[in-house]
PDB file of all heavy atoms in Angstrom:
ATOM      1  N   ARG A   1       0.845  -1.190   0.003  1.00  0.00           N
ATOM      2  CA  ARG A   1       0.028   0.013  -0.039  1.00  0.00           C
ATOM      3  C   ARG A   1       0.853   1.255  -0.018  1.00  0.00           C
ATOM      4  O   ARG A   1       0.628   2.257   0.682  1.00  0.00           O
ATOM      5  CB  ARG A   1      -0.967   0.015   1.213  1.00  0.00           C
ATOM      6  CG  ARG A   1      -2.021  -1.071   1.102  1.00  0.00           C
ATOM      7  CD  ARG A   1      -2.899  -1.146   2.364  1.00  0.00           C
ATOM      8  NE  ARG A   1      -2.164  -1.796   3.450  1.00  0.00           N
ATOM      9  CZ  ARG A   1      -1.982  -1.263   4.618  1.00  0.00           C
ATOM     10  NH1 ARG A   1      -2.472  -0.008   4.875  1.00  0.00           N
ATOM     11  NH2 ARG A   1      -1.230  -1.820   5.541  1.00  0.00           N
ATOM     12  N   LEU A   2       1.901   1.234  -0.823  1.00  0.00           N
ATOM     13  CA  LEU A   2       2.785   2.400  -1.001  1.00  0.00           C
ATOM     14  C   LEU A   2       2.603   2.905  -2.451  1.00  0.00           C
ATOM     15  O   LEU A   2       2.184   2.207  -3.337  1.00  0.00           O
ATOM     16  CB  LEU A   2       4.226   2.041  -0.802  1.00  0.00           C
ATOM     17  CG  LEU A   2       4.621   1.541   0.594  1.00  0.00           C
ATOM     18  CD1 LEU A   2       6.105   1.049   0.587  1.00  0.00           C
ATOM     19  CD2 LEU A   2       4.440   2.680   1.595  1.00  0.00           C
ATOM     20  N   ASP A   3       2.883   4.178  -2.577  1.00  0.00           N
ATOM     21  CA  ASP A   3       2.834   4.783  -3.915  1.00  0.00           C
ATOM     22  C   ASP A   3       4.008   4.270  -4.724  1.00  0.00           C
ATOM     23  O   ASP A   3       5.141   4.141  -4.246  1.00  0.00           O
ATOM     24  CB  ASP A   3       2.910   6.294  -3.804  1.00  0.00           C
ATOM     25  CG  ASP A   3       2.700   6.961  -5.142  1.00  0.00           C
ATOM     26  OD1 ASP A   3       1.531   7.183  -5.555  1.00  0.00           O
ATOM     27  OD2 ASP A   3       3.748   7.293  -5.804  1.00  0.00           O
ATOM     28  N   GLU A   4       3.786   4.050  -6.060  1.00  0.00           N
ATOM     29  CA  GLU A   4       4.797   3.477  -6.903  1.00  0.00           C
ATOM     30  C   GLU A   4       6.035   4.459  -6.956  1.00  0.00           C
ATOM     31  O   GLU A   4       7.164   3.982  -6.980  1.00  0.00           O
ATOM     32  CB  GLU A   4       4.289   3.182  -8.309  1.00  0.00           C
ATOM     33  CG  GLU A   4       3.352   2.003  -8.322  1.00  0.00           C
ATOM     34  CD  GLU A   4       2.934   1.679  -9.807  1.00  0.00           C
ATOM     35  OE1 GLU A   4       3.630   2.103 -10.726  1.00  0.00           O
ATOM     36  OE2 GLU A   4       1.868   1.043  -9.915  1.00  0.00           O
ATOM     37  N   ALA A   5       5.777   5.727  -7.004  1.00  0.00           N
ATOM     38  CA  ALA A   5       6.800   6.728  -7.027  1.00  0.00           C
ATOM     39  C   ALA A   5       7.668   6.633  -5.707  1.00  0.00           C
ATOM     40  O   ALA A   5       8.856   6.822  -5.767  1.00  0.00           O
ATOM     41  CB  ALA A   5       6.266   8.099  -7.243  1.00  0.00           C
ATOM     42  N   GLN A   6       6.955   6.396  -4.684  1.00  0.00           N
ATOM     43  CA  GLN A   6       7.647   6.212  -3.380  1.00  0.00           C
ATOM     44  C   GLN A   6       8.624   5.071  -3.384  1.00  0.00           C
ATOM     45  O   GLN A   6       9.700   5.097  -2.891  1.00  0.00           O
ATOM     46  CB  GLN A   6       6.646   6.129  -2.262  1.00  0.00           C
ATOM     47  CG  GLN A   6       7.152   6.251  -0.842  1.00  0.00           C
ATOM     48  CD  GLN A   6       6.077   6.218   0.170  1.00  0.00           C
ATOM     49  OE1 GLN A   6       4.924   5.820  -0.101  1.00  0.00           O
ATOM     50  NE2 GLN A   6       6.365   6.677   1.383  1.00  0.00           N
ATOM     51  N   VAL A   7       8.175   3.945  -4.011  1.00  0.00           N
ATOM     52  CA  VAL A   7       8.996   2.758  -4.122  1.00  0.00           C
ATOM     53  C   VAL A   7      10.191   3.028  -5.022  1.00  0.00           C
ATOM     54  O   VAL A   7      11.330   2.607  -4.720  1.00  0.00           O
ATOM     55  CB  VAL A   7       8.148   1.573  -4.605  1.00  0.00           C
ATOM     56  CG1 VAL A   7       9.062   0.320  -4.798  1.00  0.00           C
ATOM     57  CG2 VAL A   7       6.969   1.259  -3.632  1.00  0.00           C
ATOM     58  N   ARG A   8       9.948   3.666  -6.164  1.00  0.00           N
ATOM     59  CA  ARG A   8      11.103   3.985  -7.051  1.00  0.00           C
ATOM     60  C   ARG A   8      12.090   4.768  -6.292  1.00  0.00           C
ATOM     61  O   ARG A   8      13.318   4.634  -6.603  1.00  0.00           O
ATOM     62  CB  ARG A   8      10.528   4.674  -8.284  1.00  0.00           C
ATOM     63  CG  ARG A   8       9.959   3.758  -9.303  1.00  0.00           C
ATOM     64  CD  ARG A   8       9.742   4.444 -10.648  1.00  0.00           C
ATOM     65  NE  ARG A   8       8.620   5.430 -10.514  1.00  0.00           N
ATOM     66  CZ  ARG A   8       7.340   5.130 -10.779  1.00  0.00           C
ATOM     67  NH1 ARG A   8       6.987   3.914 -11.141  1.00  0.00           N
ATOM     68  NH2 ARG A   8       6.416   6.036 -10.667  1.00  0.00           N
ATOM     69  N   GLY A   9      11.669   5.687  -5.414  1.00  0.00           N
ATOM     70  CA  GLY A   9      12.578   6.521  -4.741  1.00  0.00           C
ATOM     71  C   GLY A   9      13.458   5.762  -3.743  1.00  0.00           C
ATOM     72  O   GLY A   9      14.487   6.307  -3.191  1.00  0.00           O
ATOM     73  N   MET A  10      13.123   4.482  -3.417  1.00  0.00           N
ATOM     74  CA  MET A  10      13.899   3.657  -2.492  1.00  0.00           C
ATOM     75  C   MET A  10      15.028   2.936  -3.157  1.00  0.00           C
ATOM     76  O   MET A  10      15.903   2.280  -2.586  1.00  0.00           O
ATOM     77  CB  MET A  10      13.022   2.620  -1.823  1.00  0.00           C
ATOM     78  CG  MET A  10      11.948   3.185  -0.933  1.00  0.00           C
ATOM     79  SD  MET A  10      10.946   1.780  -0.313  1.00  0.00           S
ATOM     80  CE  MET A  10       9.801   2.657   0.758  1.00  0.00           C
ATOM     81  N   LEU A  11      15.046   2.994  -4.535  1.00  0.00           N
ATOM     82  CA  LEU A  11      15.977   2.228  -5.341  1.00  0.00           C
ATOM     83  C   LEU A  11      17.191   3.110  -5.779  1.00  0.00           C
ATOM     84  O   LEU A  11      16.977   4.300  -5.975  1.00  0.00           O
ATOM     85  CB  LEU A  11      15.308   1.631  -6.624  1.00  0.00           C
ATOM     86  CG  LEU A  11      14.211   0.665  -6.322  1.00  0.00           C
ATOM     87  CD1 LEU A  11      13.358   0.379  -7.585  1.00  0.00           C
ATOM     88  CD2 LEU A  11      14.726  -0.660  -5.797  1.00  0.00           C
ATOM     89  N   LEU A  12      18.294   2.485  -5.908  1.00  0.00           N
ATOM     90  CA  LEU A  12      19.453   3.241  -6.446  1.00  0.00           C
ATOM     91  C   LEU A  12      19.169   3.839  -7.819  1.00  0.00           C
ATOM     92  O   LEU A  12      19.697   4.876  -8.220  1.00  0.00           O
ATOM     93  CB  LEU A  12      20.721   2.326  -6.515  1.00  0.00           C
ATOM     94  CG  LEU A  12      21.982   2.992  -6.889  1.00  0.00           C
ATOM     95  CD1 LEU A  12      22.375   4.113  -5.924  1.00  0.00           C
ATOM     96  CD2 LEU A  12      23.121   1.980  -6.961  1.00  0.00           C
ATOM     97  N   SER A  13      18.316   3.137  -8.654  1.00  0.00           N
ATOM     98  CA  SER A  13      17.968   3.646  -9.888  1.00  0.00           C
ATOM     99  C   SER A  13      17.173   4.967  -9.830  1.00  0.00           C
ATOM    100  O   SER A  13      16.978   5.632 -10.867  1.00  0.00           O
ATOM    101  CB  SER A  13      17.123   2.658 -10.695  1.00  0.00           C
ATOM    102  OG  SER A  13      15.965   2.275  -9.918  1.00  0.00           O
ATOM    103  N   HIS A  14      16.812   5.400  -8.651  1.00  0.00           N
ATOM    104  CA  HIS A  14      16.209   6.674  -8.432  1.00  0.00           C
ATOM    105  C   HIS A  14      17.156   7.804  -8.941  1.00  0.00           C
ATOM    106  O   HIS A  14      16.700   8.842  -9.348  1.00  0.00           O
ATOM    107  CB  HIS A  14      15.879   6.868  -6.965  1.00  0.00           C
ATOM    108  CG  HIS A  14      15.553   8.293  -6.537  1.00  0.00           C
ATOM    109  ND1 HIS A  14      14.373   8.952  -6.904  1.00  0.00           N
ATOM    110  CD2 HIS A  14      16.240   9.218  -5.836  1.00  0.00           C
ATOM    111  CE1 HIS A  14      14.385  10.162  -6.419  1.00  0.00           C
ATOM    112  NE2 HIS A  14      15.453  10.353  -5.715  1.00  0.00           N
ATOM    113  N   TYR A  15      18.449   7.549  -8.927  1.00  0.00           N
ATOM    114  CA  TYR A  15      19.439   8.565  -9.306  1.00  0.00           C
ATOM    115  C   TYR A  15      19.848   8.351 -10.787  1.00  0.00           C
ATOM    116  O   TYR A  15      20.806   9.041 -11.233  1.00  0.00           O
ATOM    117  CB  TYR A  15      20.676   8.435  -8.399  1.00  0.00           C
ATOM    118  CG  TYR A  15      20.372   8.935  -7.060  1.00  0.00           C
ATOM    119  CD1 TYR A  15      20.131   8.048  -5.971  1.00  0.00           C
ATOM    120  CD2 TYR A  15      20.295  10.277  -6.755  1.00  0.00           C
ATOM    121  CE1 TYR A  15      19.860   8.480  -4.687  1.00  0.00           C
ATOM    122  CE2 TYR A  15      20.069  10.761  -5.485  1.00  0.00           C
ATOM    123  CZ  TYR A  15      19.799   9.857  -4.478  1.00  0.00           C
ATOM    124  OH  TYR A  15      19.547  10.363  -3.194  1.00  0.00           O
ATOM    125  N   HIS A  16      19.129   7.514 -11.535  1.00  0.00           N
ATOM    126  CA  HIS A  16      19.418   7.370 -12.995  1.00  0.00           C
ATOM    127  C   HIS A  16      19.169   8.732 -13.629  1.00  0.00           C
ATOM    128  O   HIS A  16      18.089   9.329 -13.437  1.00  0.00           O
ATOM    129  CB  HIS A  16      18.597   6.292 -13.579  1.00  0.00           C
ATOM    130  CG  HIS A  16      18.624   6.286 -15.126  1.00  0.00           C
ATOM    131  ND1 HIS A  16      19.730   6.022 -15.813  1.00  0.00           N
ATOM    132  CD2 HIS A  16      17.647   6.479 -16.011  1.00  0.00           C
ATOM    133  CE1 HIS A  16      19.535   6.151 -17.087  1.00  0.00           C
ATOM    134  NE2 HIS A  16      18.249   6.328 -17.222  1.00  0.00           N
ATOM    135  N   GLY A  17      20.114   9.212 -14.422  1.00  0.00           N
ATOM    136  CA  GLY A  17      19.946  10.456 -15.106  1.00  0.00           C
ATOM    137  C   GLY A  17      20.307  11.638 -14.282  1.00  0.00           C
ATOM    138  O   GLY A  17      20.268  12.842 -14.756  1.00  0.00           O
ATOM    139  N   VAL A  18      20.588  11.484 -12.951  1.00  0.00           N
ATOM    140  CA  VAL A  18      20.948  12.539 -12.117  1.00  0.00           C
ATOM    141  C   VAL A  18      22.423  12.331 -11.672  1.00  0.00           C
ATOM    142  O   VAL A  18      23.298  13.202 -11.827  1.00  0.00           O
ATOM    143  CB  VAL A  18      20.060  12.625 -10.886  1.00  0.00           C
ATOM    144  CG1 VAL A  18      20.493  13.684  -9.886  1.00  0.00           C
ATOM    145  CG2 VAL A  18      18.570  12.872 -11.342  1.00  0.00           C
ATOM    146  N   ALA A  19      22.718  11.209 -11.051  1.00  0.00           N
ATOM    147  CA  ALA A  19      24.083  10.904 -10.645  1.00  0.00           C
ATOM    148  C   ALA A  19      24.620   9.713 -11.303  1.00  0.00           C
ATOM    149  O   ALA A  19      25.810   9.371 -11.171  1.00  0.00           O
ATOM    150  CB  ALA A  19      24.112  10.665  -9.112  1.00  0.00           C
ATOM    151  N   LEU A  20      23.727   8.905 -12.025  1.00  0.00           N
ATOM    152  CA  LEU A  20      24.178   7.706 -12.602  1.00  0.00           C
ATOM    153  C   LEU A  20      23.588   7.524 -14.031  1.00  0.00           C
ATOM    154  O   LEU A  20      22.535   8.151 -14.357  1.00  0.00           O
ATOM    155  CB  LEU A  20      23.733   6.476 -11.798  1.00  0.00           C
ATOM    156  CG  LEU A  20      24.062   6.415 -10.347  1.00  0.00           C
ATOM    157  CD1 LEU A  20      23.277   5.316  -9.644  1.00  0.00           C
ATOM    158  CD2 LEU A  20      25.557   6.114 -10.176  1.00  0.00           C
ATOM    159  N   ASP A  21      24.197   6.747 -14.847  1.00  0.00           N
ATOM    160  CA  ASP A  21      23.598   6.340 -16.099  1.00  0.00           C
ATOM    161  C   ASP A  21      23.359   4.810 -16.084  1.00  0.00           C
ATOM    162  O   ASP A  21      24.326   4.070 -16.223  1.00  0.00           O
ATOM    163  CB  ASP A  21      24.477   6.707 -17.265  1.00  0.00           C
ATOM    164  CG  ASP A  21      23.854   6.324 -18.613  1.00  0.00           C
ATOM    165  OD1 ASP A  21      22.730   5.787 -18.626  1.00  0.00           O
ATOM    166  OD2 ASP A  21      24.527   6.592 -19.677  1.00  0.00           O
ATOM    167  N   LEU A  22      22.182   4.388 -15.824  1.00  0.00           N
ATOM    168  CA  LEU A  22      21.863   2.945 -15.753  1.00  0.00           C
ATOM    169  C   LEU A  22      21.025   2.519 -16.910  1.00  0.00           C
ATOM    170  O   LEU A  22      20.245   1.574 -16.810  1.00  0.00           O
ATOM    171  CB  LEU A  22      21.095   2.635 -14.408  1.00  0.00           C
ATOM    172  CG  LEU A  22      21.875   3.018 -13.108  1.00  0.00           C
ATOM    173  CD1 LEU A  22      21.002   2.658 -11.951  1.00  0.00           C
ATOM    174  CD2 LEU A  22      23.193   2.251 -12.977  1.00  0.00           C
ATOM    175  N   ALA A  23      21.188   3.164 -18.064  1.00  0.00           N
ATOM    176  CA  ALA A  23      20.337   2.868 -19.191  1.00  0.00           C
ATOM    177  C   ALA A  23      20.499   1.432 -19.624  1.00  0.00           C
ATOM    178  O   ALA A  23      19.498   0.849 -20.143  1.00  0.00           O
ATOM    179  CB  ALA A  23      20.704   3.812 -20.385  1.00  0.00           C
ATOM    180  N   GLY A  24      21.625   0.777 -19.524  1.00  0.00           N
ATOM    181  CA  GLY A  24      21.789  -0.592 -19.978  1.00  0.00           C
ATOM    182  C   GLY A  24      21.507  -1.674 -18.961  1.00  0.00           C
ATOM    183  O   GLY A  24      21.634  -2.826 -19.162  1.00  0.00           O
ATOM    184  N   LEU A  25      21.050  -1.238 -17.786  1.00  0.00           N
ATOM    185  CA  LEU A  25      20.847  -2.227 -16.684  1.00  0.00           C
ATOM    186  C   LEU A  25      19.479  -2.954 -16.927  1.00  0.00           C
ATOM    187  O   LEU A  25      18.424  -2.281 -17.106  1.00  0.00           O
ATOM    188  CB  LEU A  25      20.892  -1.549 -15.356  1.00  0.00           C
ATOM    189  CG  LEU A  25      20.852  -2.445 -14.137  1.00  0.00           C
ATOM    190  CD1 LEU A  25      21.700  -1.876 -13.006  1.00  0.00           C
ATOM    191  CD2 LEU A  25      19.403  -2.598 -13.579  1.00  0.00           C
ATOM    192  N   GLU A  26      19.600  -4.274 -16.785  1.00  0.00           N
ATOM    193  CA  GLU A  26      18.313  -5.092 -16.778  1.00  0.00           C
ATOM    194  C   GLU A  26      18.238  -5.830 -15.457  1.00  0.00           C
ATOM    195  O   GLU A  26      19.130  -6.601 -15.154  1.00  0.00           O
ATOM    196  CB  GLU A  26      18.391  -6.072 -17.949  1.00  0.00           C
ATOM    197  CG  GLU A  26      18.522  -5.445 -19.361  1.00  0.00           C
ATOM    198  CD  GLU A  26      18.719  -6.512 -20.460  1.00  0.00           C
ATOM    199  OE1 GLU A  26      18.489  -7.719 -20.150  1.00  0.00           O
ATOM    200  OE2 GLU A  26      19.180  -6.150 -21.525  1.00  0.00           O
ATOM    201  N   PRO A  27      17.207  -5.530 -14.614  1.00  0.00           N
ATOM    202  CA  PRO A  27      17.209  -6.062 -13.301  1.00  0.00           C
ATOM    203  C   PRO A  27      17.362  -7.559 -13.149  1.00  0.00           C
ATOM    204  O   PRO A  27      17.890  -8.095 -12.118  1.00  0.00           O
ATOM    205  CB  PRO A  27      15.835  -5.620 -12.762  1.00  0.00           C
ATOM    206  CG  PRO A  27      15.492  -4.415 -13.576  1.00  0.00           C
ATOM    207  CD  PRO A  27      16.090  -4.694 -14.933  1.00  0.00           C
ATOM    208  N   ASP A  28      16.921  -8.331 -14.153  1.00  0.00           N
ATOM    209  CA  ASP A  28      16.994  -9.826 -14.071  1.00  0.00           C
ATOM    210  C   ASP A  28      18.215 -10.382 -14.750  1.00  0.00           C
ATOM    211  O   ASP A  28      18.346 -11.559 -14.876  1.00  0.00           O
ATOM    212  CB  ASP A  28      15.748 -10.416 -14.664  1.00  0.00           C
ATOM    213  CG  ASP A  28      15.500 -10.035 -16.158  1.00  0.00           C
ATOM    214  OD1 ASP A  28      16.153  -9.075 -16.584  1.00  0.00           O
ATOM    215  OD2 ASP A  28      14.701 -10.703 -16.840  1.00  0.00           O
ATOM    216  N   ASN A  29      19.093  -9.544 -15.240  1.00  0.00           N
ATOM    217  CA  ASN A  29      20.266  -9.986 -16.026  1.00  0.00           C
ATOM    218  C   ASN A  29      21.540  -9.724 -15.158  1.00  0.00           C
ATOM    219  O   ASN A  29      21.947  -8.528 -15.029  1.00  0.00           O
ATOM    220  CB  ASN A  29      20.372  -9.301 -17.343  1.00  0.00           C
ATOM    221  CG  ASN A  29      21.508  -9.787 -18.242  1.00  0.00           C
ATOM    222  OD1 ASN A  29      22.613  -9.924 -17.800  1.00  0.00           O
ATOM    223  ND2 ASN A  29      21.154 -10.026 -19.498  1.00  0.00           N
ATOM    224  N   ALA A  30      22.147 -10.782 -14.649  1.00  0.00           N
ATOM    225  CA  ALA A  30      23.301 -10.578 -13.733  1.00  0.00           C
ATOM    226  C   ALA A  30      24.486  -9.938 -14.407  1.00  0.00           C
ATOM    227  O   ALA A  30      25.195  -9.133 -13.867  1.00  0.00           O
ATOM    228  CB  ALA A  30      23.734 -11.929 -13.147  1.00  0.00           C
ATOM    229  N   GLY A  31      24.633 -10.273 -15.726  1.00  0.00           N
ATOM    230  CA  GLY A  31      25.747  -9.668 -16.482  1.00  0.00           C
ATOM    231  C   GLY A  31      25.607  -8.139 -16.666  1.00  0.00           C
ATOM    232  O   GLY A  31      26.581  -7.428 -16.539  1.00  0.00           O
ATOM    233  N   SER A  32      24.367  -7.726 -16.907  1.00  0.00           N
ATOM    234  CA  SER A  32      24.164  -6.274 -17.086  1.00  0.00           C
ATOM    235  C   SER A  32      24.361  -5.593 -15.786  1.00  0.00           C
ATOM    236  O   SER A  32      24.826  -4.448 -15.737  1.00  0.00           O
ATOM    237  CB  SER A  32      22.749  -5.972 -17.675  1.00  0.00           C
ATOM    238  OG  SER A  32      21.779  -6.065 -16.664  1.00  0.00           O
ATOM    239  N   VAL A  33      24.030  -6.225 -14.696  1.00  0.00           N
ATOM    240  CA  VAL A  33      24.208  -5.646 -13.333  1.00  0.00           C
ATOM    241  C   VAL A  33      25.731  -5.464 -13.076  1.00  0.00           C
ATOM    242  O   VAL A  33      26.125  -4.387 -12.588  1.00  0.00           O
ATOM    243  CB  VAL A  33      23.479  -6.409 -12.253  1.00  0.00           C
ATOM    244  CG1 VAL A  33      23.798  -5.823 -10.886  1.00  0.00           C
ATOM    245  CG2 VAL A  33      21.998  -6.405 -12.487  1.00  0.00           C
ATOM    246  N   ARG A  34      26.422  -6.482 -13.363  1.00  0.00           N
ATOM    247  CA  ARG A  34      27.913  -6.446 -13.121  1.00  0.00           C
ATOM    248  C   ARG A  34      28.542  -5.332 -14.018  1.00  0.00           C
ATOM    249  O   ARG A  34      29.381  -4.561 -13.488  1.00  0.00           O
ATOM    250  CB  ARG A  34      28.557  -7.792 -13.457  1.00  0.00           C
ATOM    251  CG  ARG A  34      28.381  -8.808 -12.402  1.00  0.00           C
ATOM    252  CD  ARG A  34      29.319  -9.980 -12.665  1.00  0.00           C
ATOM    253  NE  ARG A  34      28.944 -10.672 -13.867  1.00  0.00           N
ATOM    254  CZ  ARG A  34      28.075 -11.703 -13.956  1.00  0.00           C
ATOM    255  NH1 ARG A  34      27.467 -12.128 -12.837  1.00  0.00           N
ATOM    256  NH2 ARG A  34      27.850 -12.265 -15.095  1.00  0.00           N
ATOM    257  N   ARG A  35      28.120  -5.227 -15.234  1.00  0.00           N
ATOM    258  CA  ARG A  35      28.702  -4.196 -16.087  1.00  0.00           C
ATOM    259  C   ARG A  35      28.309  -2.808 -15.635  1.00  0.00           C
ATOM    260  O   ARG A  35      29.137  -1.855 -15.638  1.00  0.00           O
ATOM    261  CB  ARG A  35      28.217  -4.403 -17.492  1.00  0.00           C
ATOM    262  CG  ARG A  35      28.906  -5.614 -18.277  1.00  0.00           C
ATOM    263  CD  ARG A  35      28.576  -5.654 -19.708  1.00  0.00           C
ATOM    264  NE  ARG A  35      27.162  -5.886 -20.007  1.00  0.00           N
ATOM    265  CZ  ARG A  35      26.634  -7.090 -20.096  1.00  0.00           C
ATOM    266  NH1 ARG A  35      27.406  -8.193 -20.003  1.00  0.00           N
ATOM    267  NH2 ARG A  35      25.402  -7.332 -20.321  1.00  0.00           N
ATOM    268  N   ALA A  36      27.032  -2.651 -15.175  1.00  0.00           N
ATOM    269  CA  ALA A  36      26.646  -1.329 -14.694  1.00  0.00           C
ATOM    270  C   ALA A  36      27.439  -0.964 -13.404  1.00  0.00           C
ATOM    271  O   ALA A  36      27.798   0.202 -13.202  1.00  0.00           O
ATOM    272  CB  ALA A  36      25.147  -1.360 -14.383  1.00  0.00           C
ATOM    273  N   ALA A  37      27.665  -1.920 -12.572  1.00  0.00           N
ATOM    274  CA  ALA A  37      28.419  -1.711 -11.316  1.00  0.00           C
ATOM    275  C   ALA A  37      29.868  -1.260 -11.627  1.00  0.00           C
ATOM    276  O   ALA A  37      30.377  -0.335 -10.972  1.00  0.00           O
ATOM    277  CB  ALA A  37      28.399  -2.953 -10.466  1.00  0.00           C
ATOM    278  N   LEU A  38      30.439  -1.848 -12.673  1.00  0.00           N
ATOM    279  CA  LEU A  38      31.836  -1.465 -13.024  1.00  0.00           C
ATOM    280  C   LEU A  38      31.917  -0.030 -13.566  1.00  0.00           C
ATOM    281  O   LEU A  38      32.813   0.703 -13.374  1.00  0.00           O
ATOM    282  CB  LEU A  38      32.380  -2.455 -14.063  1.00  0.00           C
ATOM    283  CG  LEU A  38      32.752  -3.842 -13.495  1.00  0.00           C
ATOM    284  CD1 LEU A  38      33.063  -4.749 -14.631  1.00  0.00           C
ATOM    285  CD2 LEU A  38      33.919  -3.743 -12.581  1.00  0.00           C
ATOM    286  N   ASP A  39      30.821   0.368 -14.252  1.00  0.00           N
ATOM    287  CA  ASP A  39      30.856   1.665 -15.016  1.00  0.00           C
ATOM    288  C   ASP A  39      30.276   2.730 -14.122  1.00  0.00           C
ATOM    289  O   ASP A  39      30.491   3.928 -14.386  1.00  0.00           O
ATOM    290  CB  ASP A  39      30.015   1.528 -16.245  1.00  0.00           C
ATOM    291  CG  ASP A  39      30.262   2.684 -17.212  1.00  0.00           C
ATOM    292  OD1 ASP A  39      31.423   3.197 -17.216  1.00  0.00           O
ATOM    293  OD2 ASP A  39      29.332   3.135 -17.882  1.00  0.00           O
ATOM    294  N   SER A  40      29.531   2.435 -13.090  1.00  0.00           N
ATOM    295  CA  SER A  40      28.768   3.439 -12.339  1.00  0.00           C
ATOM    296  C   SER A  40      29.546   3.918 -11.162  1.00  0.00           C
ATOM    297  O   SER A  40      30.368   3.176 -10.580  1.00  0.00           O
ATOM    298  CB  SER A  40      27.411   2.913 -11.871  1.00  0.00           C
ATOM    299  OG  SER A  40      26.606   2.563 -12.923  1.00  0.00           O
ATOM    300  N   TRP A  41      29.337   5.104 -10.752  1.00  0.00           N
ATOM    301  CA  TRP A  41      30.003   5.710  -9.538  1.00  0.00           C
ATOM    302  C   TRP A  41      28.962   5.541  -8.411  1.00  0.00           C
ATOM    303  O   TRP A  41      28.349   6.517  -7.979  1.00  0.00           O
ATOM    304  CB  TRP A  41      30.318   7.183  -9.832  1.00  0.00           C
ATOM    305  CG  TRP A  41      31.533   7.646  -9.079  1.00  0.00           C
ATOM    306  CD1 TRP A  41      32.571   6.887  -8.707  1.00  0.00           C
ATOM    307  CD2 TRP A  41      31.866   9.024  -8.801  1.00  0.00           C
ATOM    308  NE1 TRP A  41      33.529   7.719  -8.107  1.00  0.00           N
ATOM    309  CE2 TRP A  41      33.116   9.015  -8.126  1.00  0.00           C
ATOM    310  CE3 TRP A  41      31.217  10.212  -8.962  1.00  0.00           C
ATOM    311  CZ2 TRP A  41      33.743  10.169  -7.745  1.00  0.00           C
ATOM    312  CZ3 TRP A  41      31.832  11.336  -8.517  1.00  0.00           C
ATOM    313  CH2 TRP A  41      33.069  11.337  -7.896  1.00  0.00           C
ATOM    314  N   ALA A  42      28.898   4.337  -7.979  1.00  0.00           N
ATOM    315  CA  ALA A  42      27.919   4.043  -6.867  1.00  0.00           C
ATOM    316  C   ALA A  42      28.260   2.736  -6.237  1.00  0.00           C
ATOM    317  O   ALA A  42      29.085   1.940  -6.789  1.00  0.00           O
ATOM    318  CB  ALA A  42      26.495   3.995  -7.520  1.00  0.00           C
ATOM    319  N   PHE A  43      27.628   2.457  -5.114  1.00  0.00           N
ATOM    320  CA  PHE A  43      27.862   1.203  -4.360  1.00  0.00           C
ATOM    321  C   PHE A  43      26.671   0.246  -4.728  1.00  0.00           C
ATOM    322  O   PHE A  43      25.618   0.514  -4.305  1.00  0.00           O
ATOM    323  CB  PHE A  43      27.944   1.407  -2.874  1.00  0.00           C
ATOM    324  CG  PHE A  43      29.008   2.449  -2.457  1.00  0.00           C
ATOM    325  CD1 PHE A  43      28.681   3.512  -1.697  1.00  0.00           C
ATOM    326  CD2 PHE A  43      30.274   2.294  -2.898  1.00  0.00           C
ATOM    327  CE1 PHE A  43      29.656   4.380  -1.233  1.00  0.00           C
ATOM    328  CE2 PHE A  43      31.275   3.213  -2.603  1.00  0.00           C
ATOM    329  CZ  PHE A  43      30.996   4.247  -1.764  1.00  0.00           C
ATOM    330  N   PHE A  44      26.998  -0.887  -5.288  1.00  0.00           N
ATOM    331  CA  PHE A  44      25.970  -1.845  -5.644  1.00  0.00           C
ATOM    332  C   PHE A  44      25.903  -2.920  -4.549  1.00  0.00           C
ATOM    333  O   PHE A  44      24.912  -3.580  -4.440  1.00  0.00           O
ATOM    334  CB  PHE A  44      26.261  -2.536  -6.995  1.00  0.00           C
ATOM    335  CG  PHE A  44      25.788  -1.751  -8.155  1.00  0.00           C
ATOM    336  CD1 PHE A  44      25.947  -0.388  -8.246  1.00  0.00           C
ATOM    337  CD2 PHE A  44      25.112  -2.391  -9.155  1.00  0.00           C
ATOM    338  CE1 PHE A  44      25.493   0.290  -9.373  1.00  0.00           C
ATOM    339  CE2 PHE A  44      24.665  -1.723 -10.282  1.00  0.00           C
ATOM    340  CZ  PHE A  44      24.854  -0.363 -10.373  1.00  0.00           C
TER     341      PHE A  44
END
């Protein structure tokens, strides 16, 4: 019973386009997560 925008704000992807570029990240793809972690200035 939370607002979807509120849930999105709980995720690191909330900073996509602001502090990070996570355009290539696919949540269910471990390879894409690893690549995004290597390229992103963030703690995964």
Side-chain angles (χ1 to χ4, degrees):
R1 291 173 289 125
L2 295 174
D3 185 84
E4 290 184 21
Q6 192 175 17
V7 177
R8 280 192 288 271
M10 297 179 175
L11 298 165
L12 186 60
S13 58
H14 167 69
Y15 289 101
H16 170 61
V18 178
L20 306 168
D21 181 2
L22 299 178
L25 187 143
E26 302 173 16
D28 60 344
N29 185 313
S32 80
V33 175
R34 283 193 295 271
R35 287 190 293 271
L38 287 171
D39 194 36
S40 299
W41 213 24
F43 304 128
F44 276 45

